Amino acid sequence: MSASSFQTRLPCGSRVLDLSRPHVMGILNVTPDSFSDGGRFAQRDAALRHAAEMVAAGATLIDIGGESTRPGAAVVGEQEELDRVAPMVEALSAELDVVISLDTSTPAVMLEGARLGAGLINDVRSLRREGAVEAAASTGLAVCLMHMQGEPSTMQSAPYYRDVVTEVRDFLQARMVACRQAGIPVDNILLDPGFGFAKSLEHNLRLFRHMGSLHVLERPLLVGVSRKSMIGNVLGRAVNERLAGGLALAALAVEKGACILRVHDVAETMDAVRMAHAVCSIE
Ligand code: 9MG
């Protein structure tokens, strides 16, 4: 299966992604610490430099998030999230030729981000917050719908599935229907199994192994496994020692037909993805 067998172009605002090859999305976190008193402009410059480096290394998307989705992370207010994300979207869209992805569940951030030049809404809550699906539809942007049971603050307490692959597939299908009913064109929809979100190690491994089952939904897949605990749990590695495990999964994800890999280590992942794609493209 190639990067996308059913759709070759993903419209992302003023840009279009060619899905006949896999893409790398670089992660740019706009955390509370990075905008602490007095350092706001210096930190913004550092984040811009980091984004520019990721683009130079081959990232065609940059994912900007102002609210951490780690288990137990604090909820961030709407204004705070806007203050973190909006200046970065504005700066990135002025300076870089890249699709800006908004890692947000907040309708106001979707609307303002779209106005400032974002091309994709990446919502780990799959547009389930009040007003989110309507806000996303009104932007006309591409959306990434990710599977998650519960909320980031509670999700790892006791994840339970009868059949994780079927349940993830059914959830994503139901969210696609909700999006279609709200007026989001099917061609604007990406799907994501949500590795690490309310899933045990066995759930993550099984879902990864059978990721190809999600192709029945006929939508491009985005996969995020970079530095996640499923790598740490299998290999016994700390967060900063998970690159090799992440590259193995990136190559496997391409082989299973994923179109976009969300990662921290762009240059290394580009090599892994290009190599895997070269092999997978040979008849
Ligand atoms: C924001 N975020 C963190 N992990 C993610 C993942 O696996 N997929 C997507 N779409 N977003 C993620």
Side-chain angles (χ1 to χ4, degrees), residues 72-257:
V75 175
V76 172
E78 176 182 295
Q79 191 56 51
E80 180 60 27
E81 195 187 343
L82 270 172
D83 290 346
R84 292 178 192 172
V85 171
M88 283 311 305
V89 175
E90 193 166 23
L92 287 188
S93 93
E95 309 244 342
L96 295 175
D97 181 14
V98 70
V99 173
I100 299 168
S101 162
L102 299 167
D103 160 15
T104 188
S105 303
T106 309
V109 176
M110 296 172 190
L111 297 173
E112 183 63 0
R115 194 184 67 78
L116 294 171
L120 171 69
I121 294 167
N122 172 31
D123 184 4
V124 299
R125 295 178 181 80
S126 238
L127 303 176
R128 284 178 295 161
R129 262 197 192 155
E130 196 180 338
V133 73
E134 294 80 7
S138 76
T139 67
L141 299 185
V143 298
C144 178
L145 308 176
M146 197 199 78
H147 174 271
M148 172 171 59
Q149 257 183 9
E151 277 288 308
S153 52
T154 56
M155 66 185 177
Q156 286 307 107
S157 45
Y160 172 79
Y161 301 87
R162 271 173 296 101
D163 175 345
V164 67
V165 181
T166 309
E167 288 174 52
V168 167
R169 188 197 62 207
D170 291 351
F171 171 94
L172 292 175
Q173 183 165 32
R175 294 311 302 153
M176 272 176 70
V177 170
C179 286
R180 300 283 293 113
Q181 284 170 348
I184 297 177
V186 70
D187 280 359
N188 286 19
I189 299 176
L190 284 167
L191 301 179
D192 183 334
F195 292 106
F197 286 84
K199 294 166 187 87
S200 67
L201 174 60
E202 199 200 321
H203 295 142
N204 283 312
L205 296 176
R206 188 173 302 283
L207 189 55
F208 202 102
R209 172 101 165 92
H210 298 286
M211 199 188 324
S213 311
L214 300 177
H215 292 313
V216 295
L217 299 175
E218 301 197 345
R219 302 308 314 135
L221 296 182
L222 186 154
V223 166
V225 285
S226 178
R227 301 185 186 172
K228 286 194 178 169
S229 63
M230 67 185 282
I231 302 170
N233 290 338
V234 170
L235 302 179
R237 301 278 186 227
V239 168
N240 61 350
E241 298 172 330
R242 295 178 186 169
L243 176 59
L247 296 179
L249 292 180
L252 273 172
V254 169
E255 199 270 332
K256 289 175 182 298

